[in-house]
Amino acid sequence: KITGRLPSGLSVGGLAAVTDREDAQTFRIDGGVRERIQIAPVTGFGVLRLQQEFAPSAPTVGTSPTGLRRDVEAGTPLGNLLVRDAYAGGVDWTLRFGNGDYILGGSAGLSHVAGDAAAIALVQQSSPHYLQRPDQDHVSFGPTRTALTGYMGGLFFEKNSGRHWLYSAELFAESPLFEINDVGRIGTADDIDAFASLRYRENQPRGPFQNYQLAMYGFSGWNFGGIL
């Protein structure tokens, strides 16, 4: 692994790892046979984070590619259970202006997983996706698929400093086939989420109050079929 920050303002974080094959001793009660079976393949992992900071207001641009490769053969028991290749990557940015009082930022990314049809079918039917559900017509389960490619994106704006008024707005989406759970985490894909907030605060002590604030928040979400 490597981490650090260069004089140019570039922050770097990287990790590469390889895990060995694992076997297990099994015993068949019906035939009284002992044998060894493979339960985990040789697997390579890679994660990289780069973020460049710019002066004078410190806007940033970053990227976060990840990758996984499992040494599984097609048609084997492990090949039917585990994704063979999983790659993802994206970019994110923040722009600060008004002496840092305002921030405009966003992100965008892609994911790609590939393997035997049986393994990809398990991904499609897993809880982040449920492509087999019968109540939607904007997604479909494909039992012969051997790869899935998805995308995500988001944009936000906020006023995060000032004496009284603070506010924010955000829009974020993950496509139905976005999948990063081999090197990363996603709880639910097929999401379009919108969030907004407005706050008034008083930090100057007045009477019996040290401070107070009044706030309004709003949130709404849909899937890609437009269902609230």
Side-chain angles (χ1 to χ4, degrees):
K1 65 179 179 180
I2 182 172
T3 61
R5 180 179 170 90
L6 303 179
S8 63
L10 178 65
S11 298
V12 180
L15 173 67
V18 178
T19 57
D20 203 358
R21 168 180 171 145
E22 291 291 340
D23 297 316
Q25 184 77 35
T26 65
F27 178 75
R28 289 180 177 271
I29 296 178
D30 54 355
V33 177
R34 294 183 181 273
E35 59 183 353
R36 294 189 66 83
I37 63 170
Q38 185 183 6
I39 59 172
V42 175
T43 306
F45 301 83
V47 178
L48 179 65
R49 173 61 176 171
L50 300 174
Q51 181 174 282
Q52 179 67 54
E53 184 178 293
F54 302 91
S57 59
T60 61
V61 175
T63 183
S64 304
T66 66
L68 172 142
R69 169 74 178 183
R70 293 188 176 100
D71 185 17
V72 292
E73 297 182 3
T76 61
L78 282 182
N80 290 331
L81 290 174
L82 300 175
V83 168
R84 183 176 298 109
D85 298 293
Y87 302 103
V91 296
D92 57 89
W93 63 92
T94 57
L95 303 176
R96 295 176 174 86
F97 48 94
N99 295 320
D101 290 354
Y102 302 91
I103 298 178
L104 175 65
S107 60
L110 294 171
S111 70
H112 178 78
V113 295
D116 286 5
I120 299 301
L122 291 177
V123 176
Q124 295 180 75
Q125 297 176 86
S126 63
S127 57
H129 306 284
Y130 286 145
L131 298 189
Q132 77 279 17
R133 64 189 191 271
D135 60 330
Q136 302 295 340
D137 55 10
H138 69 285
V139 293
S140 61
F141 171 66
T144 61
R145 287 174 174 163
T146 57
L148 301 173
T149 301
Y151 63 90
M152 56 77 64
L155 188 67
F156 71 90
F157 175 77
E158 65 181 43
K159 182 177 185 290
N160 67 344
S161 182
R163 181 176 178 182
H164 293 301
W165 290 101
L166 304 176
Y167 46 83
S168 66
E170 179 179 356
L171 183 65
F172 189 82
E174 297 159 332
S175 75
L177 301 186
F178 187 67
E179 169 61 36
I180 57 172
N181 279 324
D182 287 284
V183 188
R185 184 181 67 178
I186 180 173
T188 306
D190 193 11
D191 274 341
I192 302 173
D193 296 321
F195 173 81
S197 68
L198 177 65
R199 284 191 294 156
Y200 179 88
R201 67 179 183 179
E202 178 57 74
N203 292 327
Q204 299 295 322
R206 182 174 300 175
F209 300 105
Q210 292 292 325
N211 58 74
Y212 65 88
Q213 68 173 342
L214 302 173
M216 297 177 60
Y217 301 93
F219 173 84
S220 193
W222 307 262
N223 63 22
F224 273 64
I227 305 300
L228 188 65

